[in-house]
Amino acid sequence: MPTKFTIQQNDITSVPSDLLLLKHAKGFHGGDLLVANELMVAGICSEKEISPQPDNFVIVETNQVIAPTRVLFVGTPHLRDFSYAQIYHFAARAIENQASNHGWTLMNTDGRR
């Protein structure tokens, strides 16, 4: 089955999906900051638990605190060092290693850099 991509402008915490893919660029910024704060305030996780180093990742069950069932935080370099080639690597690694291995069918991500 071919992969289908759609682009929506919406609050990423309100769009249902199997997996929400976010970066952790040596800190939280933008959409990943919003999601991290919601998860931490709800007591789902601590900042340390969702702060992977570059090329590592962590998956968190959201327990319905936000619409996506799970959040995948992938560690990336600092934003100033996060090139388009690394963005491609980030997205490809997440899709190949997570969605296909777990049979998840709907994944969303924050498109801001």
Side-chain angles (χ1 to χ4, degrees), residues 10 15 18 32 34 37 42 53 68 71 88 93 99-100 105:
N10 210 328
V15 178
D18 297 320
D32 47 285
L34 172 73
N37 282 338
Q53 292 298 309
V71 178
Y88 177 85
R93 182 171 185 264
S100 63
T105 58

Side-chain angles (χ1 to χ4, degrees), residues 31-104:
D32 47 285
L33 175 62
L34 172 73
V35 171
N37 282 338
E38 292 221 16
L39 296 174
M40 290 185 291
V41 166
I44 302 289
C45 55
S46 69
E47 183 172 353
K48 184 176 180 179
E49 292 171 322
I50 56 173
S51 300
Q53 292 298 309
D55 283 329
N56 289 322
F57 61 88
V58 63
I59 298 174
V60 178
E61 297 284 333
T62 65
N63 298 334
Q64 301 178 337
V65 169
I66 58 174
T69 304
R70 295 165 200 85
V71 178
L72 168 64
F73 290 97
V74 177
T76 69
H78 287 283
L79 286 178
R80 67 180 174 273
D81 300 323
F82 197 30
S83 70
Y84 284 105
Q86 290 164 322
I87 292 168
Y88 177 85
H89 173 77
F90 163 75
R93 182 171 185 264
I95 291 168
E96 290 171 6
N97 292 334
Q98 298 305 307
S100 63
N101 290 337
H102 296 282
W104 297 329

Side-chain angles (χ1 to χ4, degrees), residues 4-22:
K4 180 181 175 185
F5 292 93
T6 62
I7 298 174
Q8 297 180 21
Q9 184 173 348
N10 210 328
D11 173 359
I12 60 173
T13 64
S14 68
V15 178
S17 65
D18 297 320
L19 183 70
L20 172 59
L21 167 63
L22 296 172

